[in-house]
Amino acid sequence: MKHTPLSALPLMPRRRLLAGGLGLAALSNPLASLADGDKYPSRPINLIVPFPPGGSVDVMARTYADPLGRLLGVPIVIDHRPGAGGSIGSQFVARAKPDGYTLVVSSQSSHLANPLVQPKLGYDPIKDFESIAILGRQPNVLVVHPSLPVRTFQEFLAYVKERPGQLNFCSAGAGSMGQLNVEMLMLNTGIKATHVPYKGGSPLITAILSNEVQFALDNLVIMLPHIQAGKMRALAVASPTRLPQLPDVPTFTELGHANLNQTSWTGLAAPANTPAPVVQALYKAVREVATSAAMQDTLKQRGVIAPEEMSPKDFEKMMADRLVVYGDVVRRANVKPE
């Protein structure tokens, strides 16, 4: 089956129904039986993407929405509600009716970085949500503009150390995971650079391509087409092993920085107190889609690590553990919101 390259995918307007996509005809429909006799789902599901179109969270939402909707037997409607690093859309879902018809594509930015950096966020990433399932793990990649005269991680460190604060790095917003990743890098290596925040993944990419900023450490899924086109240079990846798409790029573990070898995650979440049968139905549906041959192939082509089997309870524990790790980074680097 031929897949459209990520760079050629059209951006989806707000609340557009997805059509076409992965062939999953053999999958069963995991309807949930509720106490009142109704079946779930019985009408369209609103999937909130708390970031603008074009970023890694949007890409994952579009990747899953159509096959998941066909498996569940109802349309999945993409609803972009961007702003404040993902907190506007996430807060909307936290306050929505917990009936399984309003869900959010959660991420480390909206459900990890924001809660650590924003003092009055308006939601708790664990208490106010039912964390359903992991959709995928995104390797992070350290990229530089090709005009930078460095070709290895060691050369990069030496170059930046000789120019403390002179180089710029970008992220998708103040306090976002892209910033926290580089703050952790700087704490570990002693380099210093200047943070330039942007509003989302698309302007972040534009900033690197135009050399407004010289480097970034963020999701591979939005960087890969530009790396393959030679418009960015990859120096290191945060991944369990080297990636087949970038076989010559070492992992941070290989480079002696295992604690930087953190993959990002994208997940599916519902408001707290969503009925357990609904959560289980969604979990089973995500797992069935995620383990299909078509989805496995699509994720691989896009540089995404297929999600491991992780129960809602284990998903919540993973989030809690990450909050501790990155909370230390926020304190030590004195990261502040915009």
Side-chain angles (χ1 to χ4, degrees):
M1 181 177 179
K2 186 176 180 180
H3 296 279
T4 304
L6 178 59
S7 59
L9 284 172
L11 299 183
M12 303 294 281
R14 194 169 183 260
R15 299 189 63 84
R16 176 176 174 182
L17 288 178
L18 300 185
L22 303 173
L24 299 168
L27 301 184
S28 59
N29 191 333
L31 288 171
S33 296
L34 304 180
D36 58 8
D38 292 337
K39 291 289 186 179
Y40 172 85
S42 60
R43 54 187 170 86
I45 296 172
N46 201 30
L47 181 60
I48 304 300
V49 176
F51 295 94
S56 59
V57 175
D58 175 55
V59 169
M60 291 300 290
R62 288 185 284 135
T63 299
Y64 271 89
D66 182 65
L68 192 59
R70 283 189 282 116
L71 175 58
L72 291 169
V74 298
I76 306 289
V77 182
I78 298 289
D79 186 352
H80 290 99
R81 292 178 180 260
S87 63
I88 291 176
S90 299
Q91 185 180 99
F92 175 81
V93 175
R95 296 176 178 177
K97 184 178 180 180
D99 56 6
Y101 290 100
T102 303
L103 308 175
V104 66
V105 184
S106 58
S107 70
Q108 288 200 153
S109 286
S110 60
H111 283 62
L112 192 156
N114 269 357
L116 290 173
V117 175
Q118 301 286 348
K120 298 180 180 178
L121 188 60
Y123 63 86
D124 184 290
I126 294 179
K127 294 180 181 178
D128 291 334
F129 296 90
E130 302 291 343
S131 295
I132 296 167
I134 293 283
L135 301 179
R137 288 188 180 272
Q138 292 83 16
N140 290 308
V141 59
L142 174 65
V143 296
V144 299
H145 189 270
S147 66
L148 218 63
V150 298
R151 294 194 171 275
T152 69
F153 180 70
Q154 291 81 2
E155 289 177 356
F156 168 77
L157 292 184
Y159 187 84
V160 181
K161 282 182 179 178
E162 291 173 358
R163 299 162 179 82
Q166 295 180 34
L167 272 69
N168 298 327
F169 73 92
C170 61
S171 77
S176 68
M177 283 308 304
Q179 180 185 2
L180 298 192
N181 289 336
V182 177
E183 296 290 357
M184 183 181 286
L185 170 67
M186 293 194 292
L187 287 170
N188 275 264
T189 61
I191 65 174
K192 294 182 180 180
T194 301
H195 178 222
V196 181
Y198 292 84
K199 294 184 178 181
S202 291
L204 176 154
I205 292 294
T206 301
I208 301 173
L209 295 177
S210 64
N211 203 19
E212 287 183 9
V213 297
Q214 287 70 57
F215 73 98
L217 177 50
D218 218 317
N219 286 168
L220 174 69
V221 67
I222 59 174
M223 308 285 195
L224 184 58
H226 307 288
I227 296 170
Q228 293 171 330
K231 297 178 181 179
M232 297 179 187
R233 182 178 299 140
L235 302 181
V237 292
S239 174
T241 60
R242 290 198 183 196
L243 301 171
Q245 301 90 342
L246 302 171
D248 297 327
V249 180
T251 69
F252 279 106
T253 298
E254 291 179 74
L255 295 167
H257 296 278
N259 58 334
L260 297 176
N261 214 47
Q262 301 271 2
T263 59
S264 293
W265 54 263
T266 307
L268 186 67
N273 300 315
T274 297
V278 170
V279 172
Q280 283 301 309
L282 290 168
Y283 170 72
K284 290 177 181 178
V286 169
R287 289 302 302 160
E288 196 161 352
V289 169
T291 55
S292 69
M295 180 59 79
Q296 295 269 315
D297 183 51
T298 297
L299 294 177
K300 182 178 179 180
Q301 288 190 32
R302 295 179 180 175
V304 178
I305 300 171
E308 69 272 37
E309 185 170 359
M310 181 181 291
S311 70
K313 183 178 180 180
D314 289 338
F315 186 5
E316 184 177 293
K317 182 181 184 303
M318 183 269 290
M319 287 176 56
D321 291 343
R322 292 268 180 120
L323 284 166
V324 173
V325 171
Y326 283 96
D328 182 60
V329 173
V330 169
R331 287 187 294 272
R332 291 172 63 196
N334 195 29
V335 177
K336 300 294 183 182
E338 291 178 320

